[in-house]
Amino acid sequence: MTLAVNSIETSPIQVHNQKQEQILQGAMQVFFRDGYAGTSMDRVAIEAGVSKQTIYSHFQDKEGLFKALVERITIARYNTLFESAQLYDDPELLLRQLAETYFLKVAGDRDYLSLLRLVIAESARFPEMAKLYTQSVIQHGRQMLGQYFDAHPELGISDSKAAAHIFFGSLVSFVVVQEILHGKEIIPLSSESLVNSLIELFLARTDN
Amino acid sequence: MTLAVNSIETSPIQVHNQKQEQILQGAMQVFFRDGYAGTSMDRVAIEAGVSKQTIYSHFQDKEGLFKALVERITIARYNTLFESAQLYDDPELLLRQLAETYFLKVAGDRDYLSLLRLVIAESARFPEMAKLYTQSVIQHGRQMLGQYFDAHPELGISDSKAAAHIFFGSLVSFVVVQEILHGKEIIPLSSESLVNSLIELFLARTDN
DNA sequence: GTCTATACCGAGATAGAC
DNA sequence: GTCTATCTCGGTATAGAC
């Protein structure tokens, strides 16, 4: 019951979280590269710089570590995806900014790409994970843009939800095809020309 | 050097291909369900109804079996994806038929969905496989539709390649989100409303 | 050409020292 | 709480009988 007031050690809780963070950092590298089944706990231990037993003292088992990792990253990163996005009233400005934010934060970031690939890869084994991703990312974006379309009838969009899917779906499939499926080495297509064509399509009725 | 004219055995080549076909059928079930790293050769042998050694006599190793399987399915299935599609001159008919063909053959077929998921999942480990898929499926569709757009300037499409990506990308992402990422349990969206909205967008300039 | 049996290694998970 | 050492099982791949 002695109080170690002069101890230079950080508090137990701090140490706990620091270790967990360290483990998750290493786990991310390996899971993102090798997938769930391809990842060995030995490699995670090496990559994180801890022993295997330390991992098992912080997480129940391999599945628990994996779920904790993906949930953490999905929520942390995607809840802030469009937080910096200003809701311009001008449609062209808004659409352009949404697309540029998405390309900057997702297509340009290896970790985002790896997470997307991993969630798709494990969607059959871990359906809850896929649902969390869909809710955090897709639903969020679709609802926001759908509401915007509803508030701007001059765009002449009859089905705002479907239109929002088309907009974000074009961005997602661009990333999937060009970056993940190596499309940029086979069918070059710049993100700028995609965005310009999207603007052209969605604003066709206002230009006339 | 005797000719076994009365033999009731099938020819060696026949037997060879039959066994290979049998192995590939079993391998497909397991690889599609468990992914590359999650698949064991024992399970493939059980599923295919042969011994493990038989597999190794027909294919070099696990990697060779996997590559042979995916190449075979990708080429066989996707080269015939749009072969039945009639090239209607009317834009609405054409777009509608392309979308319906895609949904019928891809979204409605568990094997197509599994192949797409698998190719994405293994795109880092097997980039050549991803490139083959991109060439056989994406490039094929984009080129065909891009040429159609170029031949129909009345649609007012300035960038035919980007527009073709938007069209097919919306279909692909619909399948990825709704079917693979379990979106249909979270954000219901019918394929009909998607197609109608696509038509609305792409034909906006001809309606006026 | 196909089977059964086996070699050998690396996987996930745990015991026990400190 | 963290480490080293170890258990046990299932993995890929092969040897040898028929």
Side-chain angles (χ1 to χ4, degrees), chain B residues 32-106:
Chain B
F32 277 9
R33 190 181 60 234
D34 300 335
Y36 178 75
T39 289
S40 81
M41 296 296 269
D42 291 82
R43 285 204 70 94
V44 173
I46 293 170
E47 199 79 31
V50 299
S51 77
K52 232 179 354 176
Q53 182 63 13
T54 303
I55 301 177
Y56 279 99
S57 74
H58 284 276
F59 300 92
Q60 198 177 17
D61 52 14
K62 185 181 176 180
E63 192 171 320
L65 171 63
F66 186 63
K67 287 181 177 174
L69 172 73
V70 175
E71 282 180 20
R72 188 195 189 83
I73 297 180
T74 300
I75 294 173
R77 301 202 123 185
Y78 277 100
N79 278 351
T80 63
L81 220 189
F82 294 115
E83 74 175 358
S84 65
Q86 288 186 295
L87 284 181
Y88 291 108
D89 196 59
D90 178 60
E92 176 166 354
L93 274 179
L94 177 87
L95 295 179
R96 217 173 265 285
Q97 202 220 20
L98 287 181
E100 274 165 19
T101 301
Y102 183 82
F103 284 132
L104 193 72
K105 290 198 179 176
V106 179

Side-chain angles (χ1 to χ4, degrees), chain B:
Chain B
M1 289 302 194
T2 57
L3 273 175
V5 270
N6 291 329
S7 170
I8 55 166
E9 285 182 326
T10 45
S11 78
I13 291 174
Q14 273 281 351
V15 171
H16 186 70
N17 288 343
Q18 262 182 344
K19 272 286 175 205
Q20 279 202 355
E21 199 62 46
Q22 187 180 341
I23 292 168
L24 288 172
Q25 274 294 325
M28 188 174 73
Q29 306 292 330
V30 188
F31 277 122
F32 277 9
R33 190 181 60 234
D34 300 335
Y36 178 75
T39 289
S40 81
M41 296 296 269
D42 291 82
R43 285 204 70 94
V44 173
I46 293 170
E47 199 79 31
V50 299
S51 77
K52 232 179 354 176
Q53 182 63 13
T54 303
I55 301 177
Y56 279 99
S57 74
H58 284 276
F59 300 92
Q60 198 177 17
D61 52 14
K62 185 181 176 180
E63 192 171 320
L65 171 63
F66 186 63
K67 287 181 177 174
L69 172 73
V70 175
E71 282 180 20
R72 188 195 189 83
I73 297 180
T74 300
I75 294 173
R77 301 202 123 185
Y78 277 100
N79 278 351
T80 63
L81 220 189
F82 294 115
E83 74 175 358
S84 65
Q86 288 186 295
L87 284 181
Y88 291 108
D89 196 59
D90 178 60
E92 176 166 354
L93 274 179
L94 177 87
L95 295 179
R96 217 173 265 285
Q97 202 220 20
L98 287 181
E100 274 165 19
T101 301
Y102 183 82
F103 284 132
L104 193 72
K105 290 198 179 176
V106 179
D109 187 325
R110 271 187 62 257
D111 285 346
Y112 272 87
L113 289 174
S114 297
L115 180 66
L116 175 59
R117 195 183 63 222
L118 188 63
V119 170
I120 292 175
E122 308 299 341
S123 59
R125 206 193 304 249
F126 300 104
E128 334 83 49
M129 193 177 299
K131 288 180 191 171
L132 174 68
Y133 189 91
T134 303
Q135 279 179 329
S136 304
V137 189
I138 319 279
Q139 195 178 30
H140 197 237
R142 268 199 215 171
Q143 273 186 353
M144 178 188 56
L145 190 55
Q147 285 173 4
Y148 184 88
F149 285 152
D150 284 332
H152 288 74
E154 76 273 15
L155 293 172
I157 288 166
S158 61
D159 189 333
S160 62
K161 288 179 184 173
H165 164 82
I166 292 171
F167 184 81
F168 281 117
S170 297
L171 304 185
V172 172
S173 64
F174 178 85
V175 168
V176 169
V177 173
Q178 300 301 117
E179 300 293 333
I180 296 181
L181 291 181
H182 301 89
K184 65 180 169 190
E185 303 165 32
I186 298 169
I187 335 172
L189 179 65
S190 73
S191 60
E192 288 80 12
S193 62
L194 171 64
V195 174
N196 288 335
S197 290
L198 276 170
I199 304 277
E200 184 179 284
L201 282 175
F202 278 85
L203 301 188
R205 290 169 203 74
T206 61
D207 292 343
N208 304 326

Side-chain angles (χ1 to χ4, degrees), chain A residues 15 19 50-51 53-54 58:
Chain A
V15 170
K19 273 288 176 204
V50 298
S51 77
Q53 182 63 12
T54 302
H58 284 274

